[in-house]
Amino acid sequence: MQVYLIRHAQSENNALTADAVHRRKVDPGLTELGYQQRERLADWLGNQAAAGEIDIGQLYTSAMARSLLTSQPLGEALGLRPAIWLDIHEKGGLFARQNGQVSGFGGMTRAAIRQAFPRAQLTEAVTESGWYDTTLGMEPETHSHYRALKVAGELRRRADSQAVAALVSHAGFLDVLIKALFDQLPSRAHTMRYYHNNTAITRIDIERGQTVMHYLNRVDHLPMALRSW
């Protein structure tokens, strides 16, 4: 199995400066730069597919707005309907801090996703209350590791297939997912990190009990002026 791990395009929160963190959004959209990045990503992978260089047959996305927005043109370029995989959302989940209190938010509702992203494939777990477990508040680090291990386990289960899948996810989660795939979990947060720029691509092959990284954080599709982190 071949797996392409893709970080979403630049979000509104990514662009915030240190003195503007109070403007952080719970589920941000993309910046103008982010929209340019997602188009470049879709064009590049679409051209690679047309040339027979890449044969992605499965496209998954987290249910966060920035990931759905990134996967939208990518799905069109590849002729695929992005399937929401709830477990690949960003570490920390959907939360806000106010007056020292942390509150969880359910995320986009089923109706909202269907209206904004009609090609997206939804699971039954996406309801009219959203999809994120609000009782978690800000998701604990151990819970994100648990999700990464679940996703890694599912990818390993498919290892002997000829599937080629792309996952549109987030910098923090892709870090722990790679660690899970290479048996580097549990680990202490931030002691080492596999970082991804916006719309960066990492390719990993999983077959016959072996996991091989072909490349990490590739941004060939972006000119220098469009690169961000």
Side-chain angles (χ1 to χ4, degrees), residues 58-182:
Q58 300 168 358
L59 176 60
Y60 298 98
T61 177
S62 95
M64 289 179 160
R66 54 199 185 273
S67 184
L68 286 164
L69 285 165
T70 302
S71 63
Q72 190 174 41
L74 182 55
E76 294 171 1
L78 297 175
L80 299 171
R81 293 181 60 201
I84 290 177
W85 192 341
L86 292 183
D87 279 330
I88 66 174
H89 70 76
E90 180 59 303
K91 292 170 60 177
L94 294 173
F95 67 93
R97 287 193 183 95
Q98 187 173 15
N99 300 324
Q101 300 295 315
V102 176
S103 301
F105 289 81
M108 293 182 70
T109 65
R110 191 175 190 87
I113 293 176
R114 285 205 179 282
Q115 181 176 6
F117 307 99
R119 287 174 53 84
Q121 301 181 65
L122 283 70
T123 70
E124 291 183 358
V126 181
T127 71
E128 290 313 319
S129 297
W131 55 269
Y132 180 66
D133 181 359
T134 59
T135 63
L136 289 173
M138 182 178 178
E139 179 191 39
E141 185 85 18
T142 52
H143 195 275
S144 64
H145 288 190
Y146 164 71
R147 289 191 291 111
L149 290 166
K150 278 179 62 181
V151 173
E154 176 59 25
L155 293 175
R156 288 194 182 106
R157 189 184 68 78
R158 307 181 194 182
D160 292 333
S161 73
Q162 298 302 307
V164 182
L167 279 63
V168 180
S169 187
H170 307 261
F173 185 74
L174 291 177
D175 168 51
V176 291
L177 177 56
I178 292 173
K179 289 172 182 173
L181 286 168
F182 287 94

Side-chain angles (χ1 to χ4, degrees), residues 185-206:
L185 288 182
S187 66
R188 288 188 296 130
H190 310 306
T191 53
M192 61 89 66
R193 188 173 186 185
Y194 296 103
Y195 196 75
H196 287 76
N197 287 17
N198 293 120
T199 69
I201 305 169
T202 289
R203 177 184 160 186
I204 294 175
D205 288 7
I206 311 168

